[in-house]
Amino acid sequence: MPERNPETDVIDFRAAEHLLDARDPRGAVKLLDSVIAAHPENTAARLLRARAFFAAAQLRAAELEFELVLEREPDNAFAHFALARTFERSGNPERATRHFRLAAALDPKPEYLRAAKFDERDQRGDGPHP
């Protein structure tokens, strides 16, 4: 096995990004496992591995990885959004809603706001009206 060094880790990280883009999430996870073993504190690698787990339908692994990212970066709107999608996909809509709303509160991107459904009560007629 070749010796690992910082350049190897960067190359593996970039290759994992390309594998994920090419719809090979399992290949991405394999590369990222060695990067994370060498740099367990690297949040970017963990976030990419969480995305790869999600793409590979390994939802529990994705959930754990997104949660670890959020322990380190509680204001990471994308991680909240992706964790919400993970909960949604695994049939846990209550937990999904919480993280969709946190994502939208942290970063009011249209996609996050739509998913958060802040105006859902108003559409049913339950909320206040201007």
Side-chain angles (χ1 to χ4, degrees):
M1 182 174 205
E3 187 176 317
R4 298 213 53 91
N5 60 54
E7 292 82 19
T8 305
D9 295 329
V10 170
I11 291 166
D12 284 351
F13 180 87
R14 296 294 177 217
E17 287 179 318
H18 290 291
L19 286 173
L20 190 55
D21 289 342
R23 301 189 193 285
D24 181 4
R26 285 180 169 69
V29 167
K30 284 181 186 177
L31 286 175
L32 290 165
D33 285 345
S34 60
V35 173
I36 290 169
H39 306 280
E41 75 292 343
N42 187 309
T43 305
R46 290 197 174 269
L47 187 58
L48 186 60
R49 186 165 71 171
R51 291 177 48 219
F53 281 139
F54 181 84
Q58 295 178 19
L59 301 180
R60 182 65 180 140
E63 176 187 332
L64 293 171
E65 205 70 53
F66 284 128
E67 287 176 340
L68 192 117
V69 168
L70 288 168
E71 283 177 21
R72 295 175 182 181
E73 296 181 2
D75 62 344
N76 186 321
F78 175 79
H80 279 289
F81 183 77
L83 179 58
R85 287 278 184 234
T86 304
F87 285 137
E88 183 179 63
R89 193 169 169 192
S90 64
N92 196 333
E94 298 82 21
R95 291 184 78 187
T97 297
R98 177 178 183 269
H99 287 281
F100 280 137
R101 290 182 175 195
L102 285 166
L106 290 165
D107 185 355
K109 287 183 178 178
E111 180 181 10
Y112 296 177
L113 291 169
R114 273 191 306 277
K117 299 178 184 169
F118 283 122
D119 61 350
E120 191 173 85
R121 283 185 15 187
D122 292 337
Q123 291 174 2
R124 290 192 317 246
D126 298 339
H129 298 280

